[in-house]
Amino acid sequence: MNERQRARRPGGRSARVGAEVHQAVIDLINERGYGNFTVGQVAARAGVADSSIYRRWGSLENLLSDVVLTRLNAQSPMPDTGSLAGDLRTYAANVAREITGPDGLLLVRLAVALSSSGQQGLEASEELRAERTRQLQSMLDRARERGENAPDALGVLDHILAPMYIRVLFGMEFTPDYVDGLVDRML
């Protein structure tokens, strides 16, 4: 097995180091808040060299974006229930669960903070948004292929996700019925 194949092996050292670095970021944000730690402090917490983080992620902002995207993908994957209504309800419920969970507000604030942290933060934030939009678009494209009238990805962001994120940011509660109502109005 060559070095490239080894790097891609799930569950290998690379995956373990990535998970340790991600956990270090979450711990530091919980302890200190966004913008109050360095790559060196993340590396020390994760037990890796700074150079490993720079080699893999390039910057703190890229690392932070990767942490958010990885958590969202793990907790709120794009569903494939066989119908647009089912997909949107499942997706919205997953996102609601994630953003109201233990690290939910932290992840929302981190995503918002990236967009106001200089050029690198803007670029990382844009990549995060673009990747999540691509994933969402794939779900919507499947619905269109089934002959359903699907909205565009921006419409889903505006009418389903944005209201939930705003409620989380302002400490407002919401219920599963509220989330289902967002999907109903979208459809």
Side-chain angles (χ1 to χ4, degrees), residues 8 16 19 29 34 42 55 68 86 103 105 108 115 131 135 150-151 154 156 166-167:
R8 292 183 183 166
R16 188 179 67 253
I29 291 172
Y34 174 75
V42 172
R55 185 171 41 256
V68 172
D103 294 327
L105 181 57
V108 171
S115 65
E131 178 58 27
Q135 294 170 358
L154 188 56
V156 174
I166 291 296
R167 284 185 175 242

Side-chain angles (χ1 to χ4, degrees), residues 2-185:
N2 68 32
E3 194 64 36
R4 175 169 271 170
Q5 291 168 321
R6 192 170 320 153
R8 292 183 183 166
R9 186 181 63 209
R13 182 180 186 283
S14 180
R16 188 179 67 253
V17 168
E20 290 168 357
V21 169
H22 280 208
Q23 188 59 52
V25 167
I26 294 296
D27 292 346
L28 286 166
I29 291 172
N30 278 325
E31 291 170 17
R32 302 177 185 182
Y34 174 75
N36 297 317
F37 57 89
T38 65
V39 167
Q41 291 165 326
V42 172
R45 176 72 61 103
V48 301
D50 298 25
S51 59
S52 295
I53 292 175
Y54 284 114
R55 185 171 41 256
R56 185 165 179 177
W57 288 282
S59 70
L60 180 60
E61 291 79 10
N62 287 340
L63 169 59
L64 298 174
S65 176
D66 188 53
V67 168
V68 172
L69 186 60
T70 300
R71 292 293 292 264
L72 288 174
N73 287 342
Q75 299 298 319
S76 306
M78 292 300 145
D80 188 359
T81 66
S83 75
L84 177 61
D87 288 351
L88 287 174
R89 284 186 202 296
T90 301
Y91 176 64
N94 288 345
V95 170
R97 186 187 67 249
E98 174 63 17
I99 65 176
T100 59
D103 294 327
L105 181 57
L106 173 142
L107 293 173
V108 171
R109 286 185 174 155
L110 178 56
V112 170
L114 276 173
S115 65
S116 62
S117 64
Q119 188 59 38
Q120 283 186 322
L122 282 171
E123 290 170 8
S125 178
E126 177 55 36
E127 182 54 36
L128 169 65
R129 193 169 40 257
E131 178 58 27
R132 202 58 177 164
T133 301
R134 280 191 291 275
Q135 294 170 358
L136 185 56
Q137 190 62 54
S138 70
M139 180 178 70
L140 299 171
D141 289 345
R142 278 196 314 269
R144 282 188 195 91
E145 290 167 7
R146 291 189 300 258
E148 296 179 86
N149 184 20
D152 64 9
L154 188 56
V156 174
L157 293 172
D158 286 343
H159 299 286
I160 298 175
L161 299 180
M164 290 192 298
Y165 277 62
I166 291 296
R167 284 185 175 242
V168 167
L169 282 170
F170 289 105
M172 301 166 65
E173 293 185 23
F174 56 93
T175 65
D177 288 338
Y178 172 79
V179 174
D180 282 345
L182 293 173
V183 173
D184 289 343
R185 286 188 293 282

